[in-house]
């Protein structure tokens, strides 16, 4: 309710200063009364609906009453203010009517003024038009001064311009003024009227000339000027001068309007003046420009000529550059190093032939391509590109001093690479230049050197020689620096020598040789290199010979002496020298003892030297043959023989022997000599000449004796054959007749007569056997006995023997048996008659020497290549000392046995020789009182007939 | 009935007598020639069954005679016993003849050997 009322109040604008209209007031009052009615109803309604307490309602009601009362008070005071204002408004309306009347009057006056002003503006416009045309300053100033005088209706005017250089005002343009005033007017700033206008920038009117206190211009005294108006000429913010208009008329006085009018002109004038000045300046500038253009043209002409020259020079330079480029191209192409350049994409922009060749392509083909186009090794290509890009990105040089790569054909190489950034004109790195050197050879050389050093070190450390380095300082201090182990040589550990330099001279060197070693050290101290041999005592007490060879160097900086030495064990050499010395002494003694003559010849046969114990050995005296050739000394045949010997010795490398006869001085019979020639050096031959005359004689005697012996032997064989032959015939007669007697051809014999005939027959057979054996022996000795090889049955041999000998055995009551192996081969190759002879002989002997018991003949095969005949008896046996001898001719155990047992003593010897002839073997096993066993071993294959 | 002929060619009369006796004992008709040339002549006319030949003969050697015997057609059946004092010669001739005997020659041995070589008796008239 309050709100609605308040809203209504607001609606009627109670707050406005303007009082509300009466009908509004009426509406308001009605509204208020209605509102109160509504309020009561509302209150009731509220009371009913809200059950608000009447106290509270009363309070609310009181508040509303108070509020309404205040509003009525406020409205009443506002109404009074409105009534006062209406009165004031009526008064203002009257004043306005008065002002309008005055305004109408002023409009008439103003219209007349505007008409004049319009005319003036037209003049100004004309002036403006005139002076905007480009004119010289003089023309502009002339027009301006005339127009200024016309504008203000006077006779004279002037324009004074400020000379900025000396801060003075002078008349630059004038109208109606005398030349005198124009010429002499010169004002300082602040001086006279125009000076003051310039000083303050404000117009000045002086209508009281010439008495005006500020007017001071002596030049203007006689011009008759009475009024004076001066306005500043302002261009931009700068005062450039004044526009002055004067009047000589008595009644004329300048006003503010004149100033405004003149200001308008002055504004235009300032622009025109500045324009004219600018024009003047432009004119001047154009003239200057023209002049400068002319000058410039001349300059350009000169410059052009210079330019032509420069172009020519440039062309020359360009040609030189082209040649230089070609030269550089050649330089990089003949360069064995790889030279290339790459852009940011890894494309080659430059390459030399060596590089292209490494990629098996041409330079032209390489340009624009990348490593990946040629190198199948992806890892390597990535590595190249990484390095190259690093150089381009960082702009830093990259040096790879050693890089192992495997080239496109799989060979291993070492390379040295330099990669350098190349910047373009703007200093931005766009390319990388690479120079790659193949250092494989150097690496190999280094490797070889390293290996060589290694080997050298190995040699140094492995040789048994002792290598040392001793430093002797200027102060005399000795320091041992040992390079190789000393142990193998001295047996002492290295440290001893390193710690104590005196150990060597005082403990190691053999006492007797210390002086020698000291002398060597003195040499070293004198700076002389030296090699000395002396003895030393090893740690195990052995005394050995050493050679100490040292080289001395002086260090110029420290003054120290350095001794570099090698100590070698020369014991073996010393011993060899000693042996050699002894050997030489022995040889010399031997040579002295030899009676022979020795010559030394060169290869051409010139006598170089000789050695003899007696001077008379020689064919001619030594003085005559020394230095001479064989040809000049010996008879031609002999000289030639010697030379042949030298040649043959050279060819064969062996000693040559030559025997010759020669007459020597003092003898008529030639003597025999033997020359032995042997090469003794590069161009030397030693000839030993021996007198062999006596030996020759002895040899001759021996030859004769041998011939005699041979003749005797032959005679013996012949004699034996003859004897054999000649004995057989009478033996045949004896045997034949005795047998005929025995057989009874000549009549029957008594028993007593049979005995002697039998004895004769036995003796004859024994004699015959004797003759046969002698003949066999003779033939064996003479080597004439030959085997008659053929096939035979060995069993038959045994059987024949047994049957032949059976009677003989029976006579002695001995049993003779045969033991024949069943596997004996048949036939066997051999001389059956001789084998029969062997067996008969052995069996006969057995029977002969055996007194009781038995004799057994055995036939068997002891191995696959032999067969054997064995005869065992139960006889007395053969003493072991005699067992070898019985196989020799006439080798029966003793002579008594021969006599006792009969026989030549040749039988067993012949058997032995026959067995040997058959490449067989005969052995004997015998025990005394037990018996003997003879075994004949014969080869199954009797292939070769062999002379005895 | 006639005994076969045995010719003894031996210059030693004693040995010739012994050989002849041995051959007679062996029932041969015997004839002795002491010289080589005579022997060759005789051999042209006779055809002995057995010849005992000494190699060591005057005039013509035993070898020549042996050669004659071996080549003469009418002597193709004649058996030859060589009697020699040279054992080397005996070995050399062993293959060329029927029998080689080395002197001294046993009477009994010769008689027995000759008997083996003796052809049957021939009937005459």
């Amino acid at each position: 309710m309050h709100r609605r009322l308040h809203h209504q109040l607001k609606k009627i604008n109670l707050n406005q200063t303007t009082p509300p209209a009466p009908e509004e007031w009426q509406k308001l009052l009605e509204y208020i009364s209605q509102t109160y009615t509504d309020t009561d109803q509302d209150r009731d309604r509220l009371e009913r609906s809200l059950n608000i307490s009447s106290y509270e309602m009363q309070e609310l009601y009181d508040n509303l009453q108070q509020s309404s009362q205040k509003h009525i008070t406020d409205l009443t005071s506002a109404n009074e203010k409105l009534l006062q204002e209406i009165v004031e408004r009526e008064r203002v309306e009257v004043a306005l009517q008065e002002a309008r009347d005055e305004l109408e009057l002023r409009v008439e006056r103003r219209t007349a003024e505007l008409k004049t002003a319009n005319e003036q503006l037209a003049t100004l416009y004309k002036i403006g038009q005139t002076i905007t045309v480009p004119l010289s300053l003089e023309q502009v100033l002339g027009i301006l001064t005339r127009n200024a005088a016309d504008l203000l209706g006077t006779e004279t005017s002037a324009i004074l311009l400020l000379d900025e250089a000396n801060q003075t005002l002078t008349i630059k343009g004038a109208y109606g003024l005398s030349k005198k005033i124009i010429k002499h007017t010169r004002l300082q700033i602040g001086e006279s009227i125009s000076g003051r206008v310039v000083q303050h920038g404000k117009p000045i009117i002086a209508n009281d000339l010439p008495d005006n206190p500020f007017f001071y211009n002596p030049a203007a005294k006689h011009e008759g000027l009475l009024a004076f108006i001066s306005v500043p000429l302002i261009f931009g913010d700068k005062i450039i001068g004044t526009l002055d208009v004067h009047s000589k008329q008595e009644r004329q006085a300048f006003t503010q309007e004149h100033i405004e009018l003149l200001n308008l002109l002055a504004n235009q004038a300032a622009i025109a003046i500045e324009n004219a000045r600018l024009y003047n300046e432009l004119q001047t500038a154009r003239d200057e420009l023209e002049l400068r253009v002319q000058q410039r043209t001349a300059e350009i002409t000169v410059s052009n000529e210079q330019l032509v020259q420069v172009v020519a020079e440039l062309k020359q330079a360009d040609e030189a550059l082209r040649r230089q480029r070609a030269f550089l191209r050649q330089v990089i192409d003949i360069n064995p190093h790889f030279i290339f350049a790459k852009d940011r994409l890894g494309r080659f922009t430059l390459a030399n032939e060596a590089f292209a060749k490494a990629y098996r392509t041409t330079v032209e083909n390489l340009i624009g391509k990348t490593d990946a186009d040629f190198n199948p090794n992806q890892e390597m290509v990535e590595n190249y590109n990484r390095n190259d890009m690093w150089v381009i990105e960082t702009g830093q040089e990259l040096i790879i001093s050693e890089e192992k790569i495997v080239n496109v054909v799989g060979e291993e190489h070492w390379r040295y690479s330099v990669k350098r950034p190349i910047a373009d004109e703007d200093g931005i790195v766009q390319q990388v230049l690479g120079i790659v050197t193949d250092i494989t050879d150097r690496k190999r050389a280094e490797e070889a050197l390293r290996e060589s050093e290694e080997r050298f070190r190995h040699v140094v450390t492995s040789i048994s020689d002792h290598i040392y380095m001793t430093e002797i300082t200027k102060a005399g201090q000795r320091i041992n620096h040992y390079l190789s182990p000393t142990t193998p040589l001295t047996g002492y550990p290295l440290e001893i020598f390193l710690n104590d330099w005196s150990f060597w001279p005082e403990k190691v060197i053999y006492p007797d040789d210390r002086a020698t070693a000291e002398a060597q050290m003195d040499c070293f101290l004198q700076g002389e290199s030296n090699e000395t041999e002396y003895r030393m005592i090893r740690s195990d007490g052995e005394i050995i010979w050493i050679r100490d060879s040292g080289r001395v160097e002086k260090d110029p900086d420290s003054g120290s002496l350095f001794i570099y030495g090698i100590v070698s064990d020369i014991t073996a050499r010393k011993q060899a020298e000693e042996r050699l010395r002894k050997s030489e002494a022995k040889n010399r003694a031997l040579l002295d003892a030899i009676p022979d003559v020795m010559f030394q010849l060169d290869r051409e046969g010139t006598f170089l030297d000789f050695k003899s114990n007696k001077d008379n050995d020689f064919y001619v005296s030594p003085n005559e043959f020394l230095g001479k050739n064989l040809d000049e000394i010996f008879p031609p045949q002999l000289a030639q023989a010697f030379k042949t010997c030298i040649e043959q010795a050279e060819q064969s490398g062996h000693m040559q022997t030559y025997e010759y006869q020669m007459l020597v001085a003092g003898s008529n019979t030639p003597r025999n000599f033997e020359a032995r020639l042997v090469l003794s050096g590069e161009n030397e031959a030693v000839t030993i000449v021996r007198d062999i005359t006596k030996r020759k004689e002895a040899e001759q005697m021996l030859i004769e004796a041998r011939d005699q012996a041979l003749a005797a032997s032959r005679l013996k064989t012949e004699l034996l054959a003859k004897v054999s032959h000649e004995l057989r015939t009478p033996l045949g007669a004896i045997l034949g007749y005795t047998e005929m007697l025995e057989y009874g051809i000549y009549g029957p014999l008594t028993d007593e007569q049979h005995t002697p005939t039998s004895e004769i027959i036995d003796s004859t057979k024994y004699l015959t056997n004797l003759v046969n054996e002698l003949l066999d022996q003779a033939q064996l000795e003479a080597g004439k006995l030959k085997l008659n090889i053929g096939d035979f049955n060995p069993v038959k041999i045994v059987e024949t023997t047994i049957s032949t000998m059976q009677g003989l055995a029976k006579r002695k009551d001995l049993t003779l048996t045969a033991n024949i192996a069943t596997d004996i081969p048949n036939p066997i190759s051999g001389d059956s008659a001789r084998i029969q002879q062997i067996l008969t002989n052995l069996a006969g002997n057995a029977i002969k020497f055996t007194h009781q018991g038995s004799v057994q003949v055995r036939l068997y095969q002891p191995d696959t290549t032999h067969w054997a005949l064995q005869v065992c008896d139960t006889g007395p046996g053969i003493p072991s000392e005699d067992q070898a001898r019985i196989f020799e001719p006439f080798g029966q155990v003793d002579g008594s046995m021969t006599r006792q047992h009969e026989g030549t003593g040749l039988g067993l010897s012949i058997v032995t020789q026959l067995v040997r002839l058959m490449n067989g073997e005969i052995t004997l096993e015998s025990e005394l009182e037990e018996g003997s066993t003879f075994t004949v071993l014969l080869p199954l294959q009797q292939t070769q007939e062999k002379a005895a | 009935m006639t005994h076969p002929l045995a010719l003894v060619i031996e210059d030693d009369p004693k040995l010739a007598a012994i050989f002849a006796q041995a051959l007679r004992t062996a029932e041969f008709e015997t004839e002795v020639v002491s010289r080589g040339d005579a022997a060759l002549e005789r051999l042209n006319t006779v055809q002995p069954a057995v010849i005992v030949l000494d190699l060591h003969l005057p005039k013509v050697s035993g070898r020549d005679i042996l050669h004659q015997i071996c080549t003469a057609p009418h002597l193709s059946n004649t058996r030859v016993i060589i009697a020699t004092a040279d054992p080397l010669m005996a070995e050399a001739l062993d293959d060329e003849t029927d029998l080689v005997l080395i002197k001294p020659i046993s009477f009994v041995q010769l008689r027995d050997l000759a008997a083996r070589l003796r052809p049957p008796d021939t009937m005459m008239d």
Side-chain angles (χ1 to χ4, degrees):
Chain A
M1 192 178 66
H2 294 85
R3 204 177 296 138
R4 202 183 299 165
L5 182 62
H6 181 69
H7 177 71
Q8 199 59 36
L9 286 172
K10 218 175 171 184
K11 205 174 165 188
I12 59 167
N13 284 330
L14 277 178
N15 294 332
Q16 282 182 203
T17 50
T18 345
E23 65 268 19
E24 288 205 324
W25 282 113
Q26 190 60 42
K27 249 199 280 182
L28 185 66
L29 288 174
E30 282 172 13
Y31 189 77
I32 291 168
S33 66
Q34 181 63 41
T35 301
Y36 285 128
T37 313
D38 289 347
T39 305
D40 290 340
Q41 285 170 351
D42 284 342
R43 191 188 60 194
D44 293 340
R45 213 168 33 242
L46 281 167
E47 276 177 4
R48 277 194 307 269
S49 62
L50 297 171
N51 288 324
I52 304 169
S53 67
S54 60
Y55 173 75
E56 286 171 331
M57 287 300 288
Q58 189 61 47
E59 193 181 6
L60 194 63
Y61 181 77
D62 291 345
N63 284 344
L64 266 172
Q65 281 287 75
Q66 283 176 359
S67 172
S68 296
Q69 201 62 44
K70 190 177 179 276
H71 277 294
I72 292 165
T73 311
D74 289 344
L75 285 171
T76 310
S77 73
N79 203 18
E80 284 170 1
K81 279 181 187 172
L82 276 171
L83 289 176
Q84 286 174 358
E85 202 162 305
I86 289 164
V87 175
E88 179 66 16
R89 200 170 263 209
E90 282 171 354
R91 199 179 47 85
V92 167
E93 271 178 20
V94 174
L96 272 175
Q97 191 61 43
E98 287 171 358
R100 197 181 63 193
D101 294 342
E102 192 186 326
L103 200 62
E104 276 176 6
L105 193 71
R106 281 170 64 184
V107 166
E108 280 173 18
R109 220 171 29 234
R110 189 66 183 155
T111 307
E113 282 171 3
L114 279 173
K115 198 181 171 186
T116 311
N118 230 10
E119 285 168 3
Q120 288 170 335
L121 279 173
T123 308
L124 278 173
Y125 177 72
K126 204 172 70 184
I127 295 165
Q129 271 191 328
T130 308
I131 60 177
T132 48
V133 179
L135 292 169
S136 69
L137 185 61
E138 290 77 19
Q139 287 174 312
V140 168
L141 293 176
I143 291 166
L144 283 172
T145 47
R146 194 175 63 241
N147 284 328
D150 284 353
L151 193 64
L152 268 63
T154 64
E155 302 78 28
T156 61
S157 72
I159 289 174
L160 286 82
L161 292 178
L162 181 66
D163 185 345
E164 288 196 352
N166 50 26
Q167 294 286 305
T168 54
L169 284 165
T170 50
I171 296 174
K172 292 291 180 186
Y175 176 71
L177 287 178
S178 67
K179 283 183 178 171
K180 190 183 171 186
I181 189 172
I182 293 167
K183 194 178 175 184
H184 294 289
T185 299
R186 182 174 298 270
L187 300 174
Q188 301 293 316
I189 293 171
E191 188 183 4
S192 188
I193 294 171
S194 298
R196 291 180 68 89
V197 168
V198 170
Q199 188 178 26
H200 299 291
K202 285 177 180 170
I204 292 175
I205 295 171
N207 288 327
D208 49 352
L209 292 185
D211 301 322
N212 189 288
F214 300 114
F215 183 70
Y216 172 71
N217 185 356
K221 269 184 182 173
H222 305 289
E223 290 293 319
L225 303 176
L226 298 176
F228 196 118
I229 182 165
S230 176
V231 294
L233 289 169
I234 301 171
F235 183 80
D237 55 354
K238 217 162 74 182
I239 297 167
I240 59 169
T242 58
L243 172 58
D244 300 348
V245 178
H246 329 101
S247 176
K248 294 177 183 180
Q249 299 163 22
E250 288 282 337
R251 291 183 293 132
Q252 190 149 13
F254 294 115
T255 63
Q256 189 63 32
E257 283 173 23
H258 287 119
I259 288 176
E260 283 171 12
L261 199 60
L262 204 56
N263 266 341
L264 287 171
L265 183 60
N267 286 343
Q268 299 242 11
I271 293 166
I273 289 162
E274 279 304 310
N275 272 347
R277 274 186 180 174
L278 199 63
Y279 177 79
N280 271 8
E281 279 174 17
L282 275 174
Q283 197 70 17
T284 313
R286 202 190 62 193
D287 293 345
E288 279 177 11
L289 200 64
E290 261 178 22
L291 189 65
R292 281 176 64 187
V293 164
Q294 282 174 3
Q295 284 173 349
R296 190 70 191 141
T297 306
E299 280 172 15
I300 282 171
T301 309
V302 173
S303 164
N304 224 11
E305 284 165 5
Q306 285 171 346
L307 204 63
V308 168
Q309 202 176 342
V310 166
V311 165
E313 280 170 10
L314 273 174
K315 264 187 183 172
Q316 264 183 332
D318 199 46
E319 176 64 16
L321 199 65
R322 199 187 55 72
R323 280 201 303 271
Q324 201 172 6
R325 280 180 72 92
F327 174 70
L328 282 173
R329 181 73 233 173
Q330 285 208 337
V331 165
I332 71 159
D333 272 344
I334 61 166
N335 209 304
H337 309 303
F338 299 164
I339 300 173
F340 62 85
K342 281 181 184 177
D343 62 14
R344 284 179 166 269
L345 297 174
R347 294 177 305 204
F348 292 110
T349 54
L350 173 84
N352 72 341
E353 285 177 3
F355 184 69
K357 208 168 157 192
Y359 268 154
R360 301 287 187 271
T361 186
T362 60
V363 172
E364 293 73 26
N365 198 27
L366 205 60
I367 299 303
K369 301 213 175 99
T370 66
D371 276 311
D373 293 329
F374 301 97
N375 198 333
N377 189 329
Q378 201 181 339
E379 192 187 338
M380 207 182 292
V381 168
E382 280 172 12
N383 189 34
Y384 289 161
N385 288 337
R386 197 163 44 245
N387 288 338
D388 293 341
M389 285 311 115
W390 184 86
V391 171
I392 289 177
E393 296 304 331
T394 63
Q396 289 183 43
E397 189 173 273
L398 176 67
I399 294 175
I400 303 165
S401 59
E402 271 184 19
E403 187 182 23
K404 190 164 134 182
I405 62 112
V406 177
N407 72 5
V408 290
V409 294
E411 292 164 342
E412 201 173 84
H413 280 262
W414 285 92
R415 285 181 178 168
Y416 171 86
S417 309
V418 179
K419 298 193 171 182
R420 183 172 289 181
I422 310 176
D424 61 11
E425 303 84 31
D426 302 328
I428 298 162
V429 176
Q430 297 287 11
Q431 292 189 61
V432 55
L433 174 70
I435 299 177
V436 180
T437 308
D438 193 310
I439 56 164
T440 310
D441 289 346
R442 197 194 77 197
K443 280 295 287 182
R444 284 184 187 145
E446 281 174 3
E447 184 67 13
L449 186 65
R450 197 187 57 69
E451 282 175 14
S452 169
E453 279 180 359
E454 186 82 1
R455 276 200 298 277
F456 178 71
R457 193 174 304 284
H458 185 67
V459 165
V460 164
T461 52
S462 64
I463 56 173
S464 59
D465 287 353
H466 165 46
I467 299 172
Y468 67 86
M469 180 173 81
T470 297
E471 181 184 357
I472 300 172
T473 63
K474 214 171 178 182
Q477 190 191 1
R478 302 183 190 196
I479 308 157
N480 282 332
H481 309 277
Y482 282 82
L483 301 182
S484 71
T486 317
T487 311
L489 188 78
T490 64
Y492 291 109
L494 180 62
E495 291 72 30
I496 290 183
F497 300 99
L498 285 173
N499 297 335
D500 180 8
W501 72 268
S502 63
F503 189 81
W504 180 273
E506 288 175 10
K507 298 289 191 314
V508 177
I509 298 173
Y510 188 66
D512 290 358
D513 291 351
R514 278 176 196 163
T516 311
E518 275 171 26
Q520 184 184 29
M521 182 50 79
D522 289 342
C523 266
F524 288 155
L525 292 173
Q526 298 288 319
E528 292 169 17
S529 295
N530 184 278
E531 185 176 308
T532 301
E533 294 174 0
Y534 53 84
R535 284 166 291 180
M536 57 154 274
I537 309 164
R538 284 174 51 88
S539 63
D540 59 7
E542 191 190 341
I543 295 165
I544 62 169
W545 274 95
I546 56 167
R547 182 185 59 231
D548 185 345
S549 49
R551 189 165 57 81
V552 183
E553 278 180 12
K554 189 168 184 175
D555 182 11
D557 298 331
S558 65
S560 285
L561 282 176
F562 283 92
I563 307 167
Y564 303 94
I566 299 179
V567 179
S568 312
D569 184 350
I570 55 162
T571 310
R573 201 202 75 202
K574 278 282 179 185
Q575 286 169 349
E577 280 175 3
E578 180 62 18
R579 282 198 298 274
L580 186 67
R581 197 185 58 71
K582 284 180 180 165
S583 168
E584 278 185 344
K586 195 167 74 186
N587 288 343
R588 191 163 296 114
L590 276 173
L591 279 176
D592 288 344
I594 290 173
D596 301 336
V597 177
M598 269 183 266
F599 296 107
Q600 205 170 6
L601 300 168
D602 68 11
R603 295 209 167 175
E604 275 68 47
T606 306
F607 288 99
L608 301 174
D609 198 2
F610 75 98
K611 179 253 152 194
S612 171
N613 294 334
K614 294 175 288 184
D615 283 349
N616 57 3
D617 279 336
F618 298 113
Y619 180 61
V620 292
S621 76
N623 292 337
E624 285 179 54
F625 67 71
L626 277 181
K628 289 192 177 167
N629 197 276
L630 286 161
D631 296 331
E632 301 170 77
I633 306 301
F634 287 145
Q637 215 177 339
L638 188 57
Q640 189 51 49
F642 267 99
K643 289 189 172 182
T644 306
C645 279
I646 294 173
E647 280 171 23
Q648 286 173 351
E650 280 175 0
Q651 284 164 12
S652 67
H654 297 133
M655 186 183 79
Q656 302 294 314
T657 312
Y658 179 66
E659 291 182 9
Y660 61 95
Q661 281 192 331
M662 201 165 70
L663 278 169
V664 292
S667 171
N668 290 328
T669 51
R671 295 193 70 81
N672 286 294
F673 294 98
E674 181 197 62
R676 286 160 179 260
L677 188 143
V678 66
L679 296 181
S680 58
E682 189 74 6
N683 189 27
E684 281 180 10
V686 168
T687 307
I688 300 173
V689 178
R690 175 175 291 185
D691 187 337
I692 56 165
T693 308
K694 283 177 182 161
R695 197 186 79 194
K696 277 280 170 192
E697 287 168 1
E699 275 178 11
Q700 193 55 41
M701 284 167 66
L702 276 173
I703 287 165
E704 283 167 15
R706 185 196 66 198
D707 290 347
Q708 284 170 4
L710 284 171
S713 176
R714 224 172 14 247
L715 203 64
K716 186 187 83 178
T717 308
E718 282 169 12
L719 180 72
L720 274 169
K722 187 82 180 164
V723 165
S724 160
H725 187 265
E726 292 305 319
L727 280 172
R728 283 172 196 278
T729 304
L731 276 171
I734 294 165
L735 184 64
Y737 282 116
T738 314
E739 280 180 327
M740 284 197 288
L741 277 173
E742 176 80 6
Y743 193 67
I745 297 293
Y746 304 108
L749 298 182
T750 64
D751 288 347
E752 290 82 17
Q753 286 169 331
H754 272 300
T755 306
T757 53
S758 289
E759 288 295 331
I760 293 167
I761 288 167
D762 284 350
S763 295
T764 310
K765 284 185 177 170
Y766 173 71
L767 195 59
T768 303
N769 192 37
L770 204 65
V771 168
N772 284 339
E773 285 183 352
L774 280 171
L775 195 65
D776 281 347
Q777 182 63 32
Q779 279 181 328
L780 284 164
E781 278 180 17
K784 284 184 177 170
L785 197 141
K786 287 194 171 95
L787 296 174
N788 193 9
I789 307 294
D791 285 348
F792 65 94
N793 183 356
V795 177
K796 193 129 184 226
I797 300 265
V798 175
E799 285 171 350
T800 304
T801 307
I802 297 294
S803 71
T804 310
M805 310 299 271
Q806 200 60 257
L808 202 60
K810 273 187 181 162
R811 246 184 275 172
K812 292 187 72 173
D813 282 333
L814 299 173
T815 49
L816 176 64
T817 56
N819 178 358
I820 297 168
T822 53
D823 60 346
I824 195 77
N826 177 33
I828 287 174
S829 165
D831 187 336
S832 58
R834 290 298 180 187
I835 291 165
Q836 180 80 66
Q837 184 185 350
I838 290 164
L839 186 57
T840 304
N841 201 302
L842 291 173
N845 279 344
I847 293 164
K848 197 190 321 181
F849 291 107
T850 304
H851 304 302
Q852 57 176 25
S854 65
V855 172
Q856 190 187 58
V857 175
R858 213 179 138 212
L859 173 64
Y860 64 100
Q861 188 181 4
D863 59 58
T864 53
T865 53
H866 291 87
W867 64 289
L869 284 166
Q870 198 174 60
V871 178
C872 304
D873 65 45
T874 55
I878 301 160
S880 56
E881 62 269 25
D882 296 327
Q883 283 179 10
R885 195 158 54 82
I886 58 165
F887 295 104
E888 300 298 316
F890 311 105
Q892 281 181 355
V893 174
D894 60 29
S896 63
M897 280 187 76
T898 307
R899 283 189 295 280
Q900 190 184 343
H901 296 290
E902 303 173 336
T904 56
L906 281 172
L908 202 52
S909 165
I910 289 166
V911 164
T912 306
Q913 290 176 76
L914 285 174
V915 170
R916 283 184 197 147
L917 200 59
M918 293 171 184
N919 293 321
E921 193 182 327
I922 182 164
T923 54
L924 164 64
E925 290 175 54
S926 183
E927 287 275 330
L928 283 175
E929 309 300 332
E930 292 287 329
S932 305
T933 299
F934 285 88
T935 306
V936 174
L937 197 66
L938 293 167
L940 281 170
Q941 207 60 36
Q942 196 69 265
T943 50
Q944 207 176 341
E945 199 172 313
K946 187 176 155 190
Chain B
M1 209 158 61
T2 313
H3 292 308
L5 178 64
L7 186 64
V8 176
I9 307 168
E10 168 62 66
D11 64 336
D12 187 272
K14 296 183 196 99
L15 291 184
I18 294 165
F19 294 162
Q21 184 58 51
L23 290 163
R24 276 197 294 278
T25 312
E27 298 188 310
F28 280 93
E29 286 289 325
T30 59
E31 195 180 318
V32 174
V33 182
S34 61
R35 283 169 38 153
D37 53 344
L40 282 176
E41 196 179 325
R42 185 67 187 141
L43 281 171
N44 287 332
T45 53
V46 296
Q47 198 177 356
V50 170
I51 297 170
V52 176
L53 175 64
D54 179 19
L55 286 178
H56 199 260
L57 292 169
K59 302 289 182 186
V60 177
S61 81
R63 297 200 66 117
D64 292 340
I65 295 164
L66 184 62
H67 182 71
Q68 177 71 25
I69 294 165
C70 289
T71 53
H74 69 288
L75 299 175
S76 60
N77 290 324
T78 303
R79 317 300 286 272
V80 179
I81 299 169
I82 302 285
T84 178
D86 187 346
L88 295 175
M89 186 68 84
E91 280 179 21
L93 291 172
D94 196 34
D95 296 337
E96 293 177 36
T97 186
D98 300 291
L99 206 57
V100 179
L101 296 174
I102 299 165
K103 293 172 180 177
I105 294 166
S106 164
F107 168 83
V108 176
Q109 191 185 14
L110 180 60
R111 182 200 67 190
D112 292 348
L113 288 169
R116 283 190 224 165
L117 300 172
R118 183 182 177 276
D121 289 342
T122 51
M123 299 298 287
M124 301 289 284
D125 298 329

